[in-house]
Amino acid sequence: MYEFLKDFQTLIVGIPALIAAICAAWQVGGQLKQMQLQTNVSRRDLMAERVGELENRRAATMKPLRSVIENIGREIIQGEEVNPNIDSNFAFIWNMAISSELNRLYSRESDPQPLVDAIATTKQSLGQLNECLDALHRPYSMLGDPDLSDDDEKQLDVEEEKMRPQLGPRYIAFSASAKTLDVALGDYVSSVRNKLEKIDLELLR
């Protein structure tokens, strides 16, 4: 018996150390799993917050653009025809409103390229529509201005005549670009929501 114990002394002594190592590894593994779970929960919260932010951004961006489309469209679209002979006061009001909105249309560093492009195109087409509205109301808005010369008045009339036929095409171009922007914003929201759903699946495992 002594000889047996002597031969296996190292093994016998090592068994408790092995058991201790296994227990320690199991404990560390559990801690790692808990840390991973906490990380995924944090990622999930951040992603859910991001989805909410993007949905709010989409709504805030598109609401005033839809208002431009609906109100100007109601004024100039008659059946399938475009009537560019809008009231100068109407042109002035929407010229001011659009000027304010142009300052709020901008892309962000984290935006995907399709969204960056859609924002740039929409801003450009909205600016061109606003240029048209500006030209349509100026001959009337500036009547009585003591600093306005006869030549200036004639130039304003020329600009009005040139821009009036452009109102319909520019309105249509802006409407199309705004729809493309809405799609790009929706795609961005969907891509982030898909990441959120993947994290949810990981948490269910």
Side-chain angles (χ1 to χ4, degrees):
M1 184 67 176
Y2 173 78
E3 293 297 327
F4 172 80
L5 293 175
K6 183 179 178 181
D7 292 338
F8 292 92
Q9 181 180 7
T10 303
L11 178 60
I12 293 170
V13 172
I15 287 175
L18 177 62
I19 293 173
I22 292 172
C23 291
W26 180 82
Q27 186 177 9
V28 170
Q31 291 174 344
L32 289 174
K33 286 182 180 179
Q34 185 64 29
M35 289 173 60
Q36 183 63 46
L37 176 62
Q38 291 174 349
T39 299
N40 285 340
V41 169
S42 297
R43 285 175 56 213
R44 199 264 174 210
D45 291 342
L46 288 172
M47 202 64 67
E49 183 178 341
R50 183 70 175 140
V51 169
E53 288 174 353
L54 290 175
E55 288 175 339
N56 290 338
R57 179 187 176 189
R58 182 185 185 187
T61 299
M62 295 310 303
K63 184 177 180 179
L65 299 185
R66 290 193 183 101
S67 181
V68 172
I69 293 170
E70 291 169 5
N71 283 279
I72 295 181
R74 192 181 301 119
E75 189 75 11
I76 70 172
I77 303 297
Q78 299 177 352
E80 296 183 357
E81 300 294 325
V82 174
N83 175 25
N85 298 312
I86 63 173
D87 180 74
S88 59
N89 287 330
F90 179 88
F92 173 77
I93 290 169
W94 282 99
N95 174 226
M96 295 298 101
I98 291 174
S99 295
S100 176
E101 186 56 35
L102 281 168
N103 294 326
R104 290 194 286 266
L105 264 181
Y106 60 90
S107 57
R108 301 174 185 177
E109 189 174 345
S110 59
D111 288 344
Q113 193 60 45
L115 178 55
V116 172
D117 294 341
I119 290 172
T121 301
T122 301
K123 190 167 186 175
Q124 180 182 34
S125 63
L126 183 58
Q128 290 171 344
L129 175 62
N130 205 37
E131 180 186 22
C132 196
L133 292 171
D134 182 70
L136 296 184
H137 80 73
R138 276 194 177 278
Y140 309 96
S141 301
M142 299 188 70
L143 282 176
D145 187 337
D147 296 328
L148 194 67
S149 67
D150 290 342
D151 288 341
D152 291 336
E153 286 187 19
K154 290 178 182 178
Q155 184 60 38
L156 289 175
D157 289 339
V158 169
E159 285 297 314
E160 180 195 4
E161 291 179 7
K162 183 177 74 173
M163 285 296 185
R164 192 170 292 280
Q166 292 297 317
L167 181 60
R170 292 190 181 194
Y171 166 79
I172 292 170
F174 163 66
S175 299
S177 64
K179 290 177 182 177
T180 301
L181 174 58
D182 190 30
V183 171
L185 285 165
D187 289 344
Y188 192 16
V189 173
S190 296
S191 68
V192 178
R193 186 180 289 113
N194 288 339
K195 293 177 181 178
L196 174 62
E197 290 173 354
K198 289 180 180 179
I199 295 173
D200 285 339
L201 289 175
E202 290 177 9
L203 290 172
L204 291 173
R205 291 175 184 171

